[in-house]
Amino acid sequence: MKAALKTAEGTFEINEVDIPKIPHPDWVLARVRVAGICGTDLRHWKKEEPELEHKIMGHELSGEVVEAGENVLNLKPGDRVVIETLLGDETCDWCNVQQYNLCPHLYPVRMETVYRAFATYVIAPAKKFYKLPDHVTHEEAALLDTFSVGLHAQNLSGLSINDKVAVIGAGCIGLGQLQLAKASGADVVVIDVVDSGLEAAKELGADLVINSDKEDIQQKIMEFTGYRGVDIAFECAGGSSMPQTLKQATTITRRGGKVVIVGGFDPGDTAIPLPWQQIQMSEIQLIPSASYSYRDIYPEMGICLELLSRGKLNAKRMVTHSFPIDRINEAFETAQDKENTHAIFVALTI
Ligand SMILES: [Zn+2]
């Protein structure tokens, strides 16, 4: 099968590799249709990482069932599906209570199995598959991973109706966070430095948008919140902007409010300065959020699929570009250069 493999320089080359085989009777082989490029993928773009060389990446995907193991009763060839790529070792204390996002072996396990969307076929346990209603497209479904990340963060935050919420970062994660908060009855301000992202935020229901390069963020937030600061700030920008955006999140949050860390850190980010005295004296809670798993008895991806199916989340507006897998390097360049390309969600068709 065709697969995009990581090169020594951190780009991709298309190569032929073996089709994965179903390892257990409760696993399923799927044909990938659409894979997304997410911020996590971009943080590895053009970085020399020997441990990733010749590896297949990609963890936001939709596709079709090709072959189901003999114990699988709920899936059959041809079923259109979204596949959750969070798979732990299934033996630890966290996996035992469906907190597999915290599994100590999450990355080694998923990288060898389901974290391989940039290829023609992928395998996963049947329980990681969710069937798509006919009206949900493969492109829209590929955004469910992103929405699930936001839902997990929102669930950790305790967000409630009428909360004043700031979302920092108007990329895929931030725009998902915005929509979830709006669907839950919050008033939401979205902050970014890229106008095209803020434009999308407005269309997706933001009550206020702020370009923090051009506008007085403190003044605008104070006016928005009755001079208290937001109840909850979601840091959704991540990566190299963390030293600015995480600090920004703490300075716009009200006393007794919460800062939820959704965006990803770069490896080795061990010394980001924050206004610790202010954080302590204001009892601002810092809440780190990692991927997603379950809320009570419900898988967070399943919840997001229902919300998307019923029109409570808009994925269409977030899909700005689509490339065939053969042009994956161009797709990554496009996703990286969002100030010029206005990219939000860049889809790869496979
Ligand atoms: Zn585990």
Side-chain angles (χ1 to χ4, degrees), residues 88-96 99-100 102-106:
D89 56 19
E90 316 224 85
T91 58
C92 73
D93 294 334
W94 295 271
C95 284
N96 281 343
Q99 293 179 11
Y100 45 79
L102 304 181
C103 173
H105 302 115
L106 178 68

Side-chain angles (χ1 to χ4, degrees), residues 11-60:
T11 59
F12 293 94
E13 63 185 8
I14 303 294
N15 233 315
E16 280 294 314
V17 301
D18 292 337
I19 296 176
K21 290 194 168 51
I22 292 179
H24 304 290
D26 56 352
W27 281 49
V28 171
L29 175 71
R31 172 78 172 80
V32 181
R33 288 297 171 197
V34 173
I37 298 174
C38 117
T40 316
D41 300 317
L42 286 173
R43 282 200 297 282
H44 296 287
W45 173 240
K46 291 192 172 170
K47 296 237 172 82
E48 290 180 19
E49 294 165 313
E51 70 279 9
L52 294 180
E53 199 178 339
H54 303 308
K55 295 265 194 229
I56 303 172
M57 311 285 292
H59 63 274
E60 304 175 343

Side-chain angles (χ1 to χ4, degrees), residues 198-273:
L198 294 174
E199 204 53 50
K202 249 188 261 172
E203 286 173 40
L204 291 169
D207 298 282
L208 176 69
V209 299
I210 303 175
N211 184 322
S212 53
D213 270 354
K214 299 176 187 166
E215 295 171 277
D216 184 344
I217 176 172
Q218 289 297 337
Q219 180 62 26
K220 289 245 169 185
I221 291 284
M222 287 304 139
E223 285 168 10
F224 184 71
T225 59
Y227 293 87
R228 281 187 290 270
V230 296
D231 300 299
I232 307 169
F234 292 94
E235 199 298 326
C236 298
S240 59
S241 69
M242 272 298 203
Q244 290 84 47
T245 49
L246 194 52
K247 183 173 174 218
Q248 196 171 65
T250 63
T251 57
I252 60 173
T253 299
R254 72 163 168 85
R255 290 166 178 267
K258 297 167 185 172
V259 170
V260 188
I261 307 167
V262 194
F265 288 98
D266 284 328
D269 267 349
T270 55
I272 292 180

